[in-house]
């Protein structure tokens, strides 16, 4: 944890904030959890940067997959899970394709997202997606613009998914209920007042 | 020899190996257990059995207890069997009255955290060793004379150095090179780090020396066809490939006095067939009749019969005096006898084009480090002008991709090891660009700069000071601008923590290296193992880096592991020194683990003859019967025949059936959990 100073001047304090990393910032269990969920030897990252160099998200944002690997290795759990960049991975798997240590950084990110969910750290749009899947079976449900486009292409107005077979929606809901996904999404959004 | 009839009197000695063994199991319990075994008259333990006091314990106990068998439970026989055999001998016993139980590598190191399990297992290992020791017998090693000659395979800088050392030590040395010239990779290099001396200039004297040293028999364009024999007495069959051109000696042998190739090149001038020159990686042409470059050794042309159309123009150009060209020449074979062999067959690049993301062979201006060497070299295809293959323009921004395929644990062509010289040669390349092209900037994309040798870190300092740009990030991918043929290199500057995308005029891949494809065949012929990564395996990584586990075979240069020229030359000199020892000693002792035929049991069926991988068996007449006979010097004691003989007539010395059965019985009857 950053050490607090007291200059009686908030602005100065922010500027002179201690940003060192101390060993007691580290939670070794975090690395173990990440490894277990991701099934990749995240501790073997040697920080070459191939992943960030391959990442389509990196040049468009402050998201650096390599830094998440590093935070995983060091057990910087709070820093990793509270970083909004965690949600900027597109899961394209380019990094996983090229990592010379044969790791799966994408799966590390997915593991961290799962762990973040346990602390209720989830961006709104992900929670809304949960609600949409629960209600329609789709993260991005069909809409009229799409329907028109499909017709133009000679397709049915709705695809052969839950849109055509709504009787399967209760099955999906059952799975999601088991993991309390909808319940939690509703709760978190309600707490945020959305 | 009959089984020993005397009562067994065995001493068991248990080593702590510091805490290596004693830290994982109870030495005291194992010792007490050993004392309880049949035939054991004394059991002792010591911190380091291999030390002088440890060995004295063995020597003294043999005298005091009149022992006739010694068991040491310690590390591996590979490490200390010779030590303890010597101690046994010094105590007055035949040295084959010794048996070792490996309670370290095979026990305490693997069962570090299982005190009881490891202790029980050590007891079993001692039990089994004692069972064998009860049945040991005196054996006499066989001495064989050593040929006063050596073979060096591969004429790169490593092979040439080894051959020169052996030859200068008075040993007749065959230097066998499969290419038409010696020189290897080093003759393809322009300059050498960190001193920047011209590679060819420092190599040529060695090439000339191997050509004229009275003790060196140089065989170029020649390969090894077959290897037979054992240390001191190898018989090697060489295949001299059809070269189509006679050297002066060969011409003279055919009665063409004063004839033979003098390297004038008149033939190549008229030859109508044009092919890419492999020495220049196809960047320059050569004829069907060719030399690689002007400094070749020997200076003798070679016909590539795969592309020769046999028009005969070269024969006419060569003329009636020299008559050097023989379009009907065929492969010839030669058998040589040597005492020891050094393998120095070098390395290749991996097929780096298989790493699709870096675009080699897809994009014109992505080249390899070796291609760069030829392009920057004054005697290379462009006369030393570095140009872009796409348009012949001089590149002003050149990217260097380090660790291209090295330090890479993914499947396919990628190599987990460090190729060791690419950091340094990339620094050298950066320097060469800045020196030759005013205003040109090298960009080095690296993970770590490994500058480990003498004056290497200083060289890094110098190149940085000269203006090279270093970007710490492994290159993710390279894209080509289809119009300009410029290259976009994508990576992360990991020190800034920002992705970078840089446009380069040219990119040089410091590709990973790997063993030659034929290394597999060579190592099988010579009986050499390989390590996990495919390089030829040394006998011990620290204490015997030039030897192999096959007596009489040594390694030099990159074929053993990646190394630069200084390390290659050092290892070559080490290998030459090691290979000369048996030759100068004049004789070597062979382990007496030969097969023996028990004539009374042999039916003379001869079925074993074909089983023997070393051709050591023959059928002979003895007392009016046909029986099998072993040529002991050829027998390697592999046991194939012994296991096979349907009549049980073959006895493997030191590994007899009664000895092995006694070990199995002991374990089955008394072993297991105590
Ligand atoms: C681009 C590049 C630049 C380099 N620059 C430097 C530098 O500046 N300084 C430095 O110290 N090192 C440098 N090196 C490393 C250097 O090339 C090696 O250290 C050196 O060549 C090793 O020598 P060698 O004799 O072991 O192998 P090689 O040079 O590969 O020689 C092996 C020889 O064996 C022959 N051969 C192979 N198979 C057989 C066979 N079956 N039968 C008979 N003969 C066979 C080959 O034809 C060859 O002549 C560089 C390497 C590269 C790739
Ligand atoms: S590519 Fe792999 S080894 Fe390299 S920084 Fe990314 S995760 Fe680590
Ligand atoms: S999977 Fe995610 S982190 Fe990896 S390259 Fe794609 S967007 Fe980037
Ligand atoms: S005979 Fe062969 S080598 Fe000679 S000139 Fe003709 S093609 Fe060339
Ligand atoms: S020598 Fe340098 S460039 Fe070559 S593999 Fe090793 S670290 Fe990479």
């Amino acid at each position: 944890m950053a050490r607090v100073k007291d200059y009686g001047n908030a602005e100065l304090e922010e500027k002179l904030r201690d940003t060192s990393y101390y060993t007691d910032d580290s939670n070794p269990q975090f690395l173990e959890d990440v490894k277990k969920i991701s099934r990749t030897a995240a501790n073997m990252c040697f920080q070459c940067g191939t992943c960030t160099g391959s990442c389509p998200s990196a040049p468009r944002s402050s998201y650096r997959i390599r830094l998440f690997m590093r935070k995983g290795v060091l057990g910087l759990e709070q820093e990793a899970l509270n970083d909004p960049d965690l949600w900027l991975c597109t899961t394209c798997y380019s990094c996983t394709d090229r990592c010379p240590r044969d790791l799966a950084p994408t799966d590390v990110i997915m593991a961290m997202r799962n762990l973040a969910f346990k602390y209720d750290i989830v961006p709104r749009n992900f929670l809304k997606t949960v609600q949409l899947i629960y209600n329609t079976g789709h993260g991005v449900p069909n809409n009229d613009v799409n329907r028109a486009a499909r017709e133009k292409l000679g397709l049915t107005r709705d695809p052969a998914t839950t849109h055509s077979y709504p009787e399967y929606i209760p099955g999906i809901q059952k799975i999601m209920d088991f993991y309390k996904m909808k319940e939690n999404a509703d709760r978190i959004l309600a707490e945020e007042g959305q | 020899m009959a089984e020993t009839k005397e009562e067994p009197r065995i001493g068991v000695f248990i080593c702590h190996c510091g805490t290596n063994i004693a830290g994982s199991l109870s030495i005291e319990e194992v010792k007490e257990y050993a004392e309880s075994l049949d035939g054991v008259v004394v059991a002792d333990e010591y911190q380091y059995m291999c030390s002088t006091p440890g060995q004295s314990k063995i020597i003294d106990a043999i005298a005091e207890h009149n022992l006739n068998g010694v068991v040491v439970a310690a590390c591996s026989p590979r490490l200390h069997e010779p030590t303890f055999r010597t101690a046994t001998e010094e105590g007055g016993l035949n040295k084959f009255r010794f048996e070792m139980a490996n309670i370290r590598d095979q026990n305490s190191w693997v069962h570090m955290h299982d005190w009881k399990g490891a202790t029980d297992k050590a007891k079993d290992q001692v039990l089994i060793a004692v069972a064998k020791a009860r049945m040991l017998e005196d054996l006499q090693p066989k001495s064989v004379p050593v040929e006063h000659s050596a073979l060096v395979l591969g004429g790169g800088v490593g092979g040439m150095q080894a051959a020169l050392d052996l030859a200068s030590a008075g040993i007749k040395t065959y230097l066998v090179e499969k290419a038409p010239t010696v020189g290897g990779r080093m003759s393809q290099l322009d300059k050498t780090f960190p001193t920047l001396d011209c590679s060819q200039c420092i190599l040529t004297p060695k090439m000339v020396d191997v050509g004229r040293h009275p003790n060196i028999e140089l065989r170029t364009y020649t390969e090894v066809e077959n290897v037979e024999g054992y240390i001191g007495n190898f018989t090697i069959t060489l295949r001299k490939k059809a070269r189509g051109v006679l050297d002066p000696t060969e011409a003279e042998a055919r009665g063409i006095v004063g004839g033979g190739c003098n390297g004038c090149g008149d033939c190549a001038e008229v030859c109508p067939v044009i092919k890419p020159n492999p020495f220049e990686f196809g960047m320059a042409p050569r004829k069907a009749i060719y030399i690689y470059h002007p400094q070749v050794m020997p200076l003798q042309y070679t016909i590539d019969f795969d592309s020769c159309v046999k028009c005969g123009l070269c024969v006419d150009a060569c003329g009636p005096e020299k008559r050097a060209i023989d379009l009907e020449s065929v492969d010839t074979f030669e058998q040589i006898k040597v005492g020891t062999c050094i393998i120095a067959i070098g390395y290749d690049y991996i097929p780096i084009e298989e790493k699709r993301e870096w675009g080699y062979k897809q994009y014109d201006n992505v080249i390899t480090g070796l291609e760069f060497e030829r392009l920057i070299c004054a005697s290379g295809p462009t006369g030393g002008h570095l140009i872009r293959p796409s348009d012949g323009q001089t590149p002003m921004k050149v990217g260097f991709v380090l660790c291209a395929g090295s330090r890479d644990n993914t499947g396919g062509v990628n190599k987990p090891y460090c190729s060791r010289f690419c950091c340094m040669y990339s620094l050298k390349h950066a320097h060469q660009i800045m020196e030759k092209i005013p205003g040109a900037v090298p960009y080095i994309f690296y993970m770590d700069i490994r500058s480990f040798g003498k004056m290497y870190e200083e060289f890094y300092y110098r190149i940085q000071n000269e203006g090279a740009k270093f970007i710490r990030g492994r290159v993710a991918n390279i894209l080509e601008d289809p119009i300009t043929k410029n290259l976009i290199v994508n990576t992360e500057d990991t020190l800034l923590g920002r992705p970078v995308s840089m446009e380069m005029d040219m990119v040089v891949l410091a590709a990973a290296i790997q063993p030659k494809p034929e290394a597999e065949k060579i190592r099988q012929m010579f009986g050499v193992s390989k390590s996990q990564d495919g390089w030829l395996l040394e006998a011990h990584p620290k204490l015997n880096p030039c030897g192999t586990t096959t007596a009489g075979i040594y390694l030099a240069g990159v074929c053993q592991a990646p190394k630069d020229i200084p390390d290659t030359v050092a290892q070559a000199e080490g290998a030459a020194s090691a290979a000369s020892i048996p030759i100068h000693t004049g004789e070597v002792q062979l382990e007496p683990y030969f097969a023996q035929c028990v004539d009374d049991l042999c039916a003379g069926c001869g079925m074993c003859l074909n089983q023997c991988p070393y051709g050591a068996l023959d059928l002979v007449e003895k007392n009016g019967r046909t029986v099998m006979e072993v040529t002991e010097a050829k027998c390697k004691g592999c046991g194939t025949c012994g296991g096979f003989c349907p009549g049980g007539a073959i006895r493997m010395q030191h590994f007899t059936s009664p000895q092995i059965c006694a070990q199995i019985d002991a374990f089955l009857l008394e072993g297991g959990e105590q």
Side-chain angles (χ1 to χ4, degrees):
Chain A
M1 275 313 116
R3 304 307 191 253
V4 188
K5 300 194 177 79
D6 189 4
Y7 296 102
N9 173 340
E11 205 181 315
L12 186 63
E13 262 156 41
E14 176 55 25
K15 205 168 167 190
L16 299 179
R17 190 164 55 92
D18 182 354
T19 55
S20 307
Y21 147 62
Y22 296 92
T23 46
D24 51 7
D25 294 343
S26 162
N27 172 11
Q29 190 53 40
F30 181 52
L31 173 63
E32 294 314 312
D33 291 345
V34 165
K35 277 163 70 176
K36 194 161 155 233
I37 301 171
S38 67
R39 300 194 189 193
T40 192
N43 55 314
M44 294 314 294
C45 168
F46 62 2
Q47 294 288 302
C48 69
T50 307
C51 47
T52 308
S54 304
C55 180
S57 194
R60 293 163 181 85
S61 69
S62 53
Y63 170 50
R64 304 288 177 262
I65 169 65
R66 179 181 56 82
L67 289 181
F68 280 96
M69 296 301 288
R70 186 80 190 130
K71 286 169 187 169
V73 171
L74 295 177
L76 296 180
E77 181 180 23
Q78 289 312 317
E79 218 173 288
L81 300 189
N82 283 302
D83 186 341
D85 288 353
L86 179 60
W87 303 89
L88 294 180
C89 167
T90 70
T91 63
C92 70
Y93 279 91
S94 300
C95 51
T96 303
D97 266 357
R98 292 186 186 144
C99 169
R101 277 281 164 99
D102 212 7
L103 309 179
T106 322
D107 294 344
V108 167
I109 288 298
M110 301 312 280
M112 288 184 180
R113 286 180 183 178
N114 275 309
L115 291 168
F117 212 143
K118 289 196 179 159
Y119 290 103
D120 290 356
I121 312 171
V122 196
R124 273 183 56 207
N125 50 334
F126 279 76
L127 298 170
K128 297 229 148 133
T129 304
V130 168
Q131 289 174 331
L132 280 169
I133 296 175
Y134 193 87
N135 293 330
T136 70
H138 278 257
V140 183
N142 213 2
N143 57 28
D144 285 340
V145 180
N146 252 325
R147 289 194 184 94
R150 287 177 63 88
E151 263 186 333
K152 226 168 146 184
L153 291 167
L155 299 169
T156 51
R157 279 171 63 79
D158 279 307
T161 61
T162 43
H163 282 325
S164 304
Y165 304 98
E167 61 269 33
Y168 287 103
I169 292 180
I172 291 171
Q173 291 175 340
K174 215 166 150 189
I175 297 170
M176 295 179 77
D177 283 340
F178 181 82
Y179 291 106
K180 300 196 169 59
M181 286 174 77
K182 167 77 166 16
E183 194 185 313
N184 279 322
D186 289 348
R187 179 181 52 77
I188 299 167
L189 285 172
E191 279 168 14
E192 284 179 9
Q194 309 276 340
Chain B
M1 210 175 295
E3 305 296 324
T4 170
K5 290 284 181 292
E6 50 184 339
E7 277 298 304
R9 299 182 58 77
I10 296 161
V12 177
F13 303 87
I14 302 150
C15 183
H16 300 209
C17 197
T19 54
N20 270 307
I21 296 170
S24 306
L25 52 84
S26 166
I27 303 277
E28 201 43 47
E29 265 186 61
V30 177
K31 185 182 143 201
E32 275 166 29
Y33 175 76
E35 279 163 349
S36 76
L37 294 172
D38 234 13
V40 174
V41 293
V42 58
D44 205 350
E45 37 78 29
Y46 191 64
Q47 222 169 1
Y48 295 103
M49 279 309 300
C50 57
S51 65
T52 309
Q55 293 188 55
S56 301
K57 275 183 181 285
I58 300 177
I59 298 168
D60 296 346
I62 293 174
E64 191 181 329
H65 300 278
N66 190 24
L67 300 181
N68 56 17
V70 171
V71 168
V72 176
C75 53
S76 87
R78 257 182 67 163
L79 199 63
H80 273 314
E81 190 175 60
T83 316
F84 297 125
R85 275 186 178 171
T86 308
T88 308
E89 202 165 35
E90 277 183 29
L93 279 181
N94 179 284
K95 66 176 177 183
F96 295 95
R97 294 280 184 153
F98 163 75
E99 181 67 17
M100 197 156 179
N102 184 346
I103 60 167
R104 190 187 71 178
D105 308 24
Q106 294 174 355
N107 188 344
S108 65
W109 277 355
V110 248
H111 310 295
M112 218 171 270
H113 306 296
D114 179 5
W115 184 266
K116 166 134 190 354
T119 306
D120 284 348
K121 181 168 167 179
K123 287 180 189 171
D124 283 345
Q125 289 177 291
V126 168
L127 168 74
I128 292 166
V130 168
K132 176 151 180 191
R134 283 199 285 259
M135 308 191 72
L136 287 174
E137 54 197 19
D138 289 358
L139 296 174
Q140 302 309 329
K142 204 178 165 67
S143 268
V144 293
V146 179
E147 284 289 335
H148 202 79
S149 56
L151 165 81
V152 176
L153 188 63
V157 63
M160 287 196 291
Q161 185 64 50
L164 286 169
D165 282 13
L166 285 167
S168 302
I171 295 164
K172 176 168 174 171
T173 305
Y174 294 90
L175 177 55
V176 175
E177 166 60 56
K178 79 168 179 181
T181 172
V182 293
R185 293 278 173 223
M186 195 177 159
S187 58
Q188 289 177 302
L189 309 180
D190 181 38
K191 292 183 174 176
T192 52
F193 61 75
T195 44
L196 296 174
D197 23 20
C198 149
S199 187
Q200 191 65 53
C201 314
I202 56 174
L203 191 64
T204 311
K206 285 200 195 298
M207 293 169 66
V208 172
D209 283 354
V210 299
R212 66 168 172 224
H213 199 294
N215 281 337
I216 294 184
E217 294 279 338
L218 182 58
R219 299 283 186 276
T220 51
Y221 213 45
T222 301
E223 287 179 35
V224 169
E225 187 75 10
N226 190 33
V227 180
E228 265 180 42
Y230 47 92
I231 179 170
N233 299 272
F234 292 104
T235 304
I236 300 194
T237 312
L238 302 177
R239 173 196 287 268
K240 211 168 171 357
K241 292 179 278 182
R243 188 164 195 157
V245 179
L246 307 177
D247 67 20
T249 331
E250 290 164 329
E252 199 160 323
R254 293 196 185 183
I256 313 167
V257 182
C261 181
N262 65 1
C264 69
D266 291 348
C267 51
E269 210 122 293
V270 297
C271 177
V273 180
I274 297 176
K275 286 274 154 187
N277 185 353
F279 182 80
E280 305 288 2
F281 303 102
M283 295 184 292
R286 66 142 207 239
K287 297 296 183 67
I289 188 162
Y290 67 95
I291 52 172
Y292 274 176
H293 56 87
Q295 286 107 321
V296 291
M297 168 55 65
L299 178 52
Q300 179 190 0
Y301 275 72
T302 304
I303 296 180
D304 165 17
F305 280 109
D306 288 338
S307 50
C308 168
V309 296
K310 300 212 173 176
C311 64
L313 287 173
C314 55
V315 180
D316 296 342
C318 189
E321 273 86 56
K322 284 179 281 175
R323 280 197 281 158
I325 295 169
D326 173 9
L327 291 176
E328 302 310 319
S329 95
V330 289
D331 291 5
T332 53
F333 296 89
E334 177 188 12
Q335 271 204 345
I336 58 171
K337 288 205 138 260
V338 294
T340 53
C341 307
I342 295 176
I343 303 177
I345 56 174
Y347 66 98
D348 273 339
Y349 267 152
I350 61 166
I352 191 67
E353 63 274 17
E354 289 178 22
K355 275 286 204 187
R356 302 283 299 165
E357 61 261 41
W358 292 323
Y360 182 62
K361 288 193 179 166
Q362 300 165 61
Y363 309 144
D364 292 343
N365 296 327
V366 176
I367 64 171
T368 65
L370 276 170
E371 286 166 346
F372 181 92
E373 295 279 348
R374 295 318 299 153
L375 286 174
I376 202 86
C377 180
S379 64
T382 55
H385 297 289
L386 183 68
I387 53 167
R388 301 189 346 142
S390 68
D391 53 13
Q393 296 295 308
T394 305
M396 297 308 288
K397 288 170 84 180
V398 182
F400 292 91
V401 179
L402 271 56
C403 301
S406 305
R407 306 173 68 193
D408 189 326
N409 292 63
T410 55
V413 293
N414 319 302
K415 302 296 176 192
Y417 48 80
C418 165
S419 294
R420 274 185 104 236
F421 46 59
C422 11
C423 273
M424 290 307 295
Y425 77 57
S426 299
L427 291 176
K428 171 183 77 177
H429 291 171
H431 164 83
Q432 285 170 300
I433 292 180
M434 293 184 288
E435 181 186 49
K436 283 210 167 177
I437 310 169
V441 186
Y443 290 85
I444 296 178
F445 298 92
Y446 73 105
M447 289 202 268
D448 315 272
I449 295 292
R450 298 192 163 170
S451 49
F452 53 90
K454 185 170 181 176
M455 299 302 288
Y456 287 13
E457 185 64 20
E458 294 88 330
F459 189 66
Y460 177 17
Y461 184 97
R462 169 178 172 186
I463 306 311
Q464 198 174 0
N465 193 33
E466 284 174 353
K469 301 274 181 271
F470 291 81
I471 294 160
R472 195 204 168 276
R474 184 177 169 281
V475 171
N477 69 333
I478 297 172
L479 300 171
E480 186 192 55
D481 179 330
I483 295 161
T484 60
K485 302 280 179 186
N486 286 350
L487 301 157
I488 295 76
V489 178
N490 293 312
T491 182
E492 179 190 5
D493 183 325
T494 56
L495 302 179
L496 276 183
R498 279 151 71 170
V500 283
S501 189
M502 299 184 94
E503 191 164 334
M504 296 285 149
D505 298 334
M506 183 178 230
V507 168
V508 184
L509 302 180
I513 60 164
Q514 66 179 11
K516 287 256 173 202
E518 64 263 41
E520 188 59 25
K521 203 179 97 201
I522 300 280
R523 79 169 186 87
Q524 283 176 8
M525 276 200 279
F526 285 91
V528 176
S529 307
K530 63 176 172 184
S531 42
Q532 212 174 9
D533 50 19
W535 301 102
L536 299 184
L537 186 65
E538 65 287 337
H540 190 284
K542 288 147 218 163
L543 304 177
N544 194 352
C546 304
T548 67
T549 47
T550 300
I553 311 287
Y554 307 87
L555 305 174
V558 179
C559 65
Q560 181 255 333
K563 52 180 80 68
D564 56 7
I565 297 165
D567 287 0
T568 295
V569 171
Q571 194 188 22
E573 302 213 87
S577 155
S580 69
I581 292 170
I583 295 179
H584 283 140
T585 313
E587 62 168 36
V588 284
Q589 286 201 338
L590 303 180
E591 297 268 41
Y593 301 161
F594 320 119
Q596 279 181 330
C597 181
V598 184
D599 293 350
D600 291 348
L601 294 177
C602 176
C605 68
M607 280 158 66
C608 52
L609 266 55
N610 287 335
Q611 305 291 323
C612 176
Y614 307 102
L617 309 181
D618 288 299
L619 284 183
V620 296
E621 290 294 318
K622 254 192 205 165
N623 307 326
R625 289 183 58 225
T626 305
V627 291
M628 185 275 273
E629 190 180 66
V630 184
T631 306
E632 291 187 343
K634 280 191 186 173
C635 172
K636 293 229 160 68
C638 72
T640 309
C641 60
F644 165 81
C645 176
I650 302 177
R651 185 171 178 280
M652 301 306 306
Q653 298 208 97
H654 209 60
F655 296 94
T656 65
S657 299
Q659 285 171 350
I660 291 172
C661 290
Q663 292 183 281
I664 297 172
D665 286 350
F667 177 70
L668 293 180
L669 295 174
E670 301 167 48
E673 209 148 308
Q674 272 110 19

